Amino acid sequence: TIYHEAWGTSNLLDHMFYWGSTSYKDHHLDSTQAMGWQGMEPYAWYDDMTWSGTLNAGDIDFVLAGVMAYDFENISLPGPDGNYDQVDDISVWAFRPHLSDNMNNLYGHQESEMDRYVGVSDIETTPGSNLYGASRTRVFVPTAWDLFDGETLTFQFPTGDVPFYDPNLTPIGAEGTKDEFVVNSDQLSLHRTQPAGYGNWNQAAKTWTITGPTTTGGSVGSPGPDGVPGTADDDYPDESWGAIYFVALPEPGSTIALVAGSGLLAMRYRRRLRRSGII
């Protein structure tokens, strides 16, 4: 039993669940060394977490249920013109597997998973952000979440209307306390998964179920044979694999042409581990 009151313990659990017995300090640049049971690192801060199971001599069989803030994001995609220009941009809710470090060498810590992407930029797509549509230093560490044999994931998304923050009408630098976000509420409708056709989506129940073993096809998260990030042989993913994206439910008879924030996501895991030294 673990009693914790500080956000630091949650961060430690995230790293422990992902890396297992592997040293984070020695291998934070190479996900192929991870030995934990969980295929990504949620953004900490477990709410309503319940973990129950049986620990045997050679394996563990358990169920973990909890609510995680920031793992279900309201971001944007460019519209038919292909640009983030607040003209025809499209609000999207997304779950994207990631690793939880989002700053380099903070508070004196000399190792960070963000060091995999030093000098690499991406585009800010959060509606209302001060940097919306602009290039920025990467603050997101995508990963490929491949399930093992015996592992199943069930994602339960909201079945009613959810807020979609309008990236076109919400002003740059919007502040929630001033009611500056423009919100359109509608049901979630599947846009795509990464890779295509990944898992089983039930539109009526708003559930997404994945059964292992799976291979997403994403990069393995390795710095390559030279062991140095930022060189030509890196095998770091540019985007998350094992991801799902939603748009607003289209009106009957209409179509949405797509060229390509934060909320709550409930996740339940059931996994039997057969590797020794996993804990």
Side-chain angles (χ1 to χ4, degrees):
T1 300
I2 299 175
Y3 296 96
H4 66 94
E5 298 180 359
W7 65 271
T9 306
S10 292
N11 278 272
L12 286 174
L13 287 174
D14 287 338
H15 289 305
M16 291 173 181
F17 289 166
Y18 179 75
W19 289 100
S21 58
T22 297
S23 167
Y24 170 89
K25 179 179 183 297
D26 294 337
H27 299 289
H28 61 284
L29 299 177
D30 190 355
S31 285
T32 66
Q33 304 300 311
M35 288 291 293
W37 60 267
Q38 184 167 260
M40 75 163 201
E41 296 173 339
Y43 276 135
W45 305 298
Y46 286 99
D47 291 323
D48 194 27
M49 175 178 165
T50 302
W51 187 12
S52 61
T54 303
L55 179 62
N56 302 307
D59 59 58
I60 178 174
D61 188 12
F62 69 92
V63 173
L64 170 65
V67 177
M68 298 295 299
Y70 307 110
D71 277 347
F72 193 31
E73 312 164 279
N74 194 183
I75 55 177
S76 306
L77 291 176
D81 66 7
N83 300 311
Y84 287 100
D85 51 15
Q86 291 192 288
V87 174
D88 56 358
D89 301 347
I90 300 169
S91 184
V92 173
W93 279 98
F95 167 74
R96 304 181 293 172
H98 57 266
L99 303 182
S100 63
D101 284 353
N102 57 9
M103 297 190 74
N104 292 84
N105 306 326
L106 184 66
Y107 303 132
H109 294 283
Q110 298 304 306
E111 291 80 27
S112 170
E113 291 157 341
M114 281 299 305
D115 291 337
R116 305 177 183 198
Y117 295 97
V118 172
V120 179
S121 62
D122 60 8
I123 297 176
E124 173 60 64
T125 67
T126 304
S129 169
N130 284 315
L131 295 175
Y132 184 81
S135 179
R136 64 170 186 187
T137 300
R138 181 182 281 271
V139 297
F140 182 84
V141 185
T143 191
W145 188 352
D146 295 319
L147 273 61
F148 292 94
D149 186 20
E151 182 177 13
T152 62
L153 300 178
T154 298
F155 296 76
Q156 176 64 67
F157 296 96
T159 56
D161 287 352
V162 299
F164 284 85
Y165 297 96
D166 193 315
N168 303 307
L169 300 179
T170 298
I172 299 297
E175 295 185 24
T177 57
K178 297 181 180 179
D179 199 26
E180 294 178 341
F181 284 86
V182 178
V183 179
N184 303 310
S185 295
D186 211 329
Q187 289 191 31
L188 299 172
S189 180
L190 179 64
H191 167 46
R192 67 181 175 95
T193 60
Q194 175 73 6
Y198 188 65
N200 181 27
W201 170 248
N202 186 315
Q203 176 67 31
K206 299 295 192 295
T207 57
W208 186 42
T209 305
I210 308 138
T211 301
T214 64
T215 302
T216 62
S219 300
V220 298
S222 165
D226 66 4
V228 179
T231 56
D233 67 346
D234 288 358
D235 195 14
Y236 293 128
D238 290 327
E239 59 180 318
S240 299
W241 288 76
I244 189 168
Y245 297 80
F246 301 97
V247 293
L249 187 68
E251 294 296 328
S254 67
T255 59
I256 297 179
L258 301 181
V259 296
S262 301
L264 295 179
L265 169 64
M267 298 184 286
R268 179 175 293 273
Y269 308 83
R270 186 169 184 86
R271 169 82 180 279
R272 180 176 293 277
L273 301 178
R274 297 185 177 87
R275 291 184 293 172
S276 61
I278 200 76
I279 299 176

